[in-house]
Amino acid sequence: MQSTQMQPLSSKELEYISDSISNEEMLIKQYAATAGLTQNQAVRQICEQHIQNHNHHMDILIQLLQQHQQYAPSQPQ
């Protein structure tokens, strides 16, 4: 079994992850706004579930960045 070593993320990959985090934040804000405005309990619950899911996605993306941080070049390329 071969051990795979992490490589530094490319600038394009970092940009993609950054955009994904921004998108998750935007979705969380939109669902929170909808949950705050709706009178329908079922809609509010669905919004809250989506908020939890998007928070989880954002946590995964941040963990990915943290795992690769040690492999990042110390000088900008």
Side-chain angles (χ1 to χ4, degrees), residues 13-71:
E13 290 168 324
L14 289 170
E15 202 172 305
Y16 177 77
I17 293 170
S18 176
D19 287 345
S20 296
I21 290 171
S22 294
N23 291 338
E24 294 296 336
E25 289 173 334
M26 180 191 63
L27 289 167
I28 290 166
K29 288 177 185 176
Q30 289 177 338
Y31 280 116
T34 302
L37 293 174
T38 187
Q39 300 296 316
N40 186 315
Q41 185 62 28
V43 171
R44 184 176 296 118
Q45 287 177 340
I46 290 169
C47 288
E48 290 170 357
Q49 289 173 339
H50 283 289
I51 290 169
Q52 289 177 349
N53 288 339
H54 290 291
N55 272 320
H56 180 71
H57 296 163
M58 204 162 60
D59 289 343
I60 291 170
L61 291 166
I62 291 168
Q63 287 174 6
L64 175 68
L65 287 176
Q66 290 171 341
Q67 289 172 357
H68 281 80
Q69 185 174 6
Q70 64 181 327
Y71 299 103

